[in-house]
Amino acid sequence: MNVQRRPVDVEDIRARHPLADVVAAAGIELHQRGHGYVGCCPFHDDTTPSFSVDGIPDRFHCFGCGASGDVIDFVRRTRNLGFLEAVAELDGDRYRERSLSAVRPRPHLRAVPEAATADIPSSRAFEINQQAWEHFATPVGAGFATHYLQHRRGIDLDPLTRAFRGQIFVGHATHGWSSLTDHLRSQGVDDDELLGMDLSMRTRGGRLIDTYHNRVIIPITNERNQIRGFIGRDISGHPAAPKYRNPTHTPVFDKSQVLYRPTHHPLSPDAQVLVVEGALDALAVAAAAAAVEASSRVAVCSTNGVAVSPTHVEQVLAMTHRPPRIAFDGDPAGQQGTTRWLDAACIERRAPVLVSRLPSGSDPADWLAARGPSGLGDLFARPSNAHDPEVPSTVVPGRQLIQLLLDRVDDPIRDAVDTIAALAAQLPPTERAQLLRDSTSEMTRHGWNPRDAYAKALEDAMRRPPTTTRATPLIPVTPSLI
């Protein structure tokens, strides 16, 4: 007996399941660019955003590995399904009500099922995350993850563990598809809670499976050591597996409100803050600081990507009175993320930052793996006009700030003077002089310093009392800091 299959209306499938929504629902961060979006490709080890979505309507294309197709092709590749299975997957629970419409003005945030989080009290949410962590961080799981980071990424956590009295910093999600789900169910966690906490997801057949599997697991904690969520770093090497799996929105996690910090220890008055892209970068920096007994003088944090919110800026500025350093990866995405921080902190908040520029294609974890803990000093070097592209360098971003200001202000001289003077008042003498010099040079290059008009106005502004609330004199950097 022949069974006649119902024809598939591909155009209807595409219309009902916008490609960008489905890509975001799969956990891939998208950033708006032109008429479409870009993100890191899930089909190869992509360190720069080479994955274009909707650049051509309803199509994706990776400029790195060449993968391309429509929404059905995307689901086929990411879920290892046939054509009809992919169509059924799209019409199943996994992609229902996952829309980017609520976040299109902020496309760096992922689409999430908001309704699933509404009924879980925060106290219960923290309790469930703690139960999940106990499953991930068994002696076997923690030992495996620690060994993996040391031998595959060159991150030795032993000094950090010793410095913080045996604290466990990483765990492991096994190969099993429902190991965590089954464990939490046995502890009384119901299915709505599993879904609402983003610890499980539903297959098209209605079965719950683990959100995290075959990953190193890193907990995101608050000051009371309560766990807000988990970052999962893929260790399978499967081309369809996203390198990182960050939490979606839950009752205790909102990416725009939360920073990842390996530790929340008290800091000394001369402490410096380093903002990095990824959790492994943060762990590498924290471990290196512990190895050279500088933990009290180093606070490292990550936004889990290159996005930044006003809350992130406020949290970073509250850690110390010294300008934070931005040390993003030495690639185009890292450069774009640094620009976002300059905009959010320096221009919007009138708070100075320094930039630690890394060699092209390198990140802080790579640098420390190659140089050992002594390489930490390179990330905190004094600003210098000398630049060696093979080593990190510290920059006072006067030129970049002028470029940002000239793109948006009505009165370039007045507005540049107001911004630069407010920032300079909060810097030590060496950094202040470099900011003033470089900003003047950039204004001159763009034709906005006729007859030294900008330089004279800036000099006059520097004589006036500062009006910013962060004008506390900062402790100069000393060579013995790290």
Side-chain angles (χ1 to χ4, degrees), residues 88-394:
E89 178 85 356
L90 282 165
D91 285 334
D93 291 331
R94 177 177 171 81
Y95 295 107
R96 282 182 184 159
E97 299 180 0
R98 289 185 177 241
S99 173
L100 268 176
S101 59
V103 298
R104 283 194 189 276
R106 298 180 295 158
H108 57 278
L109 302 177
R110 293 204 313 271
V112 296
E114 296 284 353
T117 72
D119 299 327
I120 306 175
S122 59
S123 59
R124 175 60 173 162
F126 284 128
E127 179 185 357
I128 293 170
N129 278 343
Q130 181 61 37
Q131 291 174 319
W133 178 237
E134 291 169 359
H135 179 76
F136 291 136
T138 63
V140 172
F144 174 86
T146 301
H147 183 273
Y148 176 88
L149 291 182
Q150 181 172 3
H151 294 279
R152 298 293 295 273
R153 291 301 309 269
I155 303 174
D156 183 4
L157 295 181
D158 284 346
L160 190 62
T161 300
R162 290 194 300 270
F164 290 90
R165 301 179 180 180
Q167 180 176 336
I168 299 173
F169 293 94
V170 290
H172 178 227
T174 65
H175 299 268
W177 286 98
S178 62
S179 175
L180 178 65
T181 299
D182 295 341
H183 170 74
L184 292 180
R185 277 173 167 168
S186 73
Q187 300 296 310
V189 182
D190 65 37
D191 288 3
D192 287 341
E193 291 175 324
L194 289 167
L195 293 168
M197 294 305 297
D198 194 34
L199 296 171
S200 300
M201 57 186 180
R202 197 180 299 278
T203 68
R204 61 187 175 88
R207 174 172 170 253
L208 289 193
I209 60 173
D210 296 347
T211 299
Y212 300 91
H213 60 93
N214 208 13
R215 292 178 180 271
V216 168
I217 301 296
I218 304 166
I220 305 171
T221 59
N222 62 17
E223 293 81 359
R224 296 182 296 277
N225 212 34
Q226 296 169 306
I227 298 174
R228 293 187 174 277
F230 302 98
I231 301 166
R233 172 57 162 88
D234 179 66
I235 57 176
S236 70
H238 193 285
K243 181 185 288 188
Y244 284 96
R245 176 57 160 85
N246 294 323
T248 59
H249 193 97
T250 75
V252 291
F253 183 84
D254 180 339
K255 184 177 179 180
S256 68
Q257 305 294 309
V258 175
L259 294 169
Y260 167 66
R261 294 182 63 186
T263 61
H264 298 273
H265 57 282
L267 300 172
S268 62
D270 64 344
Q272 295 191 76
V273 179
L274 192 71
V275 183
V276 297
E277 276 191 42
L280 292 191
D281 293 321
L283 275 174
V285 171
V292 297
E293 299 182 350
S295 292
S296 66
R297 290 171 284 163
V298 173
V300 62
C301 61
S302 168
T303 56
N304 303 314
V306 295
V308 58
S309 72
T311 302
H312 291 150
V313 173
E314 291 298 328
Q315 290 177 359
V316 167
L317 295 179
M319 292 183 197
T320 73
H321 285 295
R322 306 183 71 170
R325 291 167 178 258
I326 312 302
F328 284 174
D329 298 0
D331 57 24
Q335 294 166 13
Q336 293 167 12
T338 300
T339 299
R340 294 189 188 100
W341 268 91
L342 296 180
D343 192 350
C346 300
I347 295 179
E348 297 296 332
R349 184 62 174 74
R350 298 288 177 90
V353 303
L354 303 179
V355 177
S356 294
R357 286 180 176 168
L358 287 126
S360 178
S362 179
D363 60 34
D366 294 333
W367 180 257
L368 293 171
R371 296 299 180 99
S374 63
L376 187 64
D378 296 315
L379 302 179
F380 290 93
R382 290 292 300 266
S384 171
N385 290 327
H387 175 59
D388 183 346
E390 299 301 320
V391 299
S393 60
T394 299

Side-chain angles (χ1 to χ4, degrees), residues 14-94:
R14 291 172 177 167
R16 288 189 293 107
H17 301 285
L19 176 60
D21 293 16
V22 173
V23 172
I28 299 168
E29 293 186 20
L30 295 177
H31 303 260
Q32 194 160 24
R33 180 174 296 174
H35 298 294
Y37 299 88
V38 296
C40 287
C41 179
F43 305 123
H44 76 288
D45 191 9
D46 193 9
T47 58
T48 60
S50 59
F51 190 67
S52 171
V53 176
D54 283 341
I56 298 175
D58 300 324
R59 304 287 296 182
F60 69 85
H61 178 75
C62 177
F63 294 95
C65 68
S68 63
D70 65 2
V71 67
I72 300 173
D73 296 314
F74 177 82
V75 175
R76 289 180 67 184
R77 292 184 65 119
T78 55
R79 306 284 287 168
N80 194 26
L81 301 173
F83 178 84
L84 293 178
E85 291 175 314
V87 170
E89 178 85 356
L90 282 165
D91 285 334
D93 291 331
R94 177 177 171 81

